[in-house]
Amino acid sequence: MQVKYLPEKHIRDSALCLLARYGEKFGPVERPPIPVEEILEAHLELQLDFDDLAKRLGVADVLGATWVRERRVLIDQSLDPTQYPSKEGRYRFTVAHEIGHWELHRHVYQAGANQPSLFDGTEKPSIVCRARSGKDRQEWQADTFSGYLLMPEDMVYLAWEERFGSLEPYVAVDEIADLTAKWGLGEDDHKPTVAAARELARVFQVSGQAMQVRLIGLDLIRTDVPPPELFPHPGAAQQHM
Amino acid sequence: MAGNPAFGKRLRALREAKKRTDPSFSLRRFAQAVGISATYLSKVETGEFPPPAPDRIKKMAQLLGEDPDELMAVAERLDPALSEIILEQPKALADFLRTAHEQKLTGEEIKELTKQIRGKR
């Protein structure tokens, strides 16, 4: 289903508002990791379950699905972090992604559907999220929401400063070149993740890849050599030294 | 593997009631506190898998603040501690239980009898 365009700022604000509302109810979240399961289950009061989604839905590579009217989210059991601890990051990203659908898109599926229906396992999910499908707008919005919810910028800046002593960005060009030479390109042809991203990923309990994308977005990791500053403005030297 | 939907439903209802005010009753945290995987708990609650071992059911009851015997009864499980009790006086206790069964004592009558025995001590 096609959803309307949303500015990124709107998505970011939705994620931060949700976190604040959770905080009002259950105590403020001041440090990572963000309790995404608690937000989904206790605050939004949705049911969370694990299942073999490929089998249930007959579609390969499904990581999560949301049934809006039934207020139910299913995560593929291959991501269960209590059985597969290495899947923690992907699992949490998927949970936050489904929360994103709930916050941003549920009204699309609720419209005109006021008769309650009982979940009997045969209902088709409103939203199915596959591992690597061409990402349409709705999936992109949920991914973006997930990134903002799991890694709020204040917490990222704070964690970066605590770890590296300043907010100076890290120019990762050489490290990425070395990693690429050694291991080839990362999963899904992404850039390989640098040590700084992997380290912060552990703090936020997200994948190294998701952390790196966020750090690049916040200009804390740079993957290009910065052009020489022809007209450095006052304070710039201090910031970037 | 045949599940027990009645137990699953009851467990989920109890956990959800707690979860509304205490996020530590999330699927994962509750499963971890009980010592089972989140997938397993999920499938027990949806009735796909049978209830876990008696000691896990007792742990669940303790975390939920419920009567373990009641939850065990819904699970159609027997507390292994009971077998041990019977084995202490196997003949007399087996006779006692069989007689109660043959006489078709009702729950109320058994309760009354229990009260009387307690009073004697």
Side-chain angles (χ1 to χ4, degrees), chain A residues 112-125:
Chain A
N114 33 24
Q115 69 276 38
S117 85
L118 286 173
F119 187 86
D120 64 359
T122 55
E123 299 275 334
K124 282 218 169 81

Side-chain angles (χ1 to χ4, degrees), chain A residues 38 49 77 80 82 88, chain B residues 12 28-29 38-39 42-43:
Chain A
E38 289 82 349
D49 277 302
Q77 61 194 36
D80 178 356
T82 64
E88 183 74 57
Chain B
R12 174 147 294 187
R28 176 195 191 159
R29 279 162 73 182
T39 299
S42 169
K43 295 193 173 191

Side-chain angles (χ1 to χ4, degrees), chain A residues 56-193:
Chain A
R56 178 191 276 266
L57 303 172
V59 194
D61 283 342
V62 184
L63 297 180
T66 294
W67 283 256
V68 170
R69 276 194 290 155
E70 291 78 7
R71 305 184 65 91
R72 191 159 197 240
V73 170
L74 253 59
I75 304 289
D76 190 61
Q77 61 194 36
S78 68
L79 295 183
D80 178 356
T82 64
Q83 295 193 73
Y84 314 105
S86 69
K87 294 293 168 71
E88 183 74 57
R90 279 200 104 179
Y91 164 68
R92 286 167 48 77
F93 198 86
T94 306
V95 171
H97 174 105
E98 300 304 322
I99 294 174
H101 282 312
W102 182 261
E103 290 295 283
L104 304 173
H105 307 132
R106 71 171 181 276
H107 57 275
V108 177
Y109 300 91
Q110 279 169 335
N114 33 24
Q115 69 276 38
S117 85
L118 286 173
F119 187 86
D120 64 359
T122 55
E123 299 275 334
K124 282 218 169 81
S126 318
I127 305 162
V128 173
C129 307
R130 301 182 65 184
R132 54 190 93 210
S133 47
K135 296 248 164 152
D136 63 10
R137 178 184 280 169
Q138 175 173 275
E139 291 303 295
W140 181 87
Q141 289 177 352
D143 269 358
T144 305
F145 183 96
S146 183
Y148 282 122
L149 180 64
L150 288 164
M151 298 165 281
E153 59 192 69
D154 289 355
M155 290 188 202
V156 177
Y157 282 132
L158 197 67
W160 183 272
E161 205 174 1
E162 275 177 8
R163 176 60 191 84
F164 301 106
S166 79
L167 287 178
E168 183 191 340
Y170 167 59
V171 180
V173 180
D174 291 347
E175 191 179 342
I176 287 174
D178 285 351
L179 288 167
T180 307
K182 203 166 165 191
W183 305 107
L185 283 170
E187 218 179 291
D188 298 336
D189 290 345
H190 280 306
K191 291 188 176 74
T193 49

Side-chain angles (χ1 to χ4, degrees), chain A residues 4 6 16 23 32 39 45 52 71 73 79 86 115-117 138 153 163 185 194 200 206 216 222 225:
Chain A
K4 66 173 195 222
L6 293 173
L16 293 177
I39 292 173
E45 297 186 15
D52 182 343
R71 305 184 65 91
V73 170
L79 295 183
S86 69
Q115 69 276 38
S117 85
Q138 175 173 275
E153 59 192 69
R163 176 60 191 84
L185 283 170
V194 299
L200 254 66
V206 295
I216 291 171
R222 289 187 180 167
V225 180

Side-chain angles (χ1 to χ4, degrees), chain B residues 1 7 12 14 17 22-23 27 46 49 57-58 63-64 66 75 84 103 114 117 120:
Chain B
M1 213 174 344
F7 177 78
R12 174 147 294 187
L14 290 170
D22 183 351
L27 182 76
T46 54
F49 282 5
I57 297 174
K58 274 203 249 179
L63 291 165
L64 293 163
E66 290 292 312
E84 282 168 34
Q103 297 298 317
T114 310
I117 299 169
K120 289 213 162 126

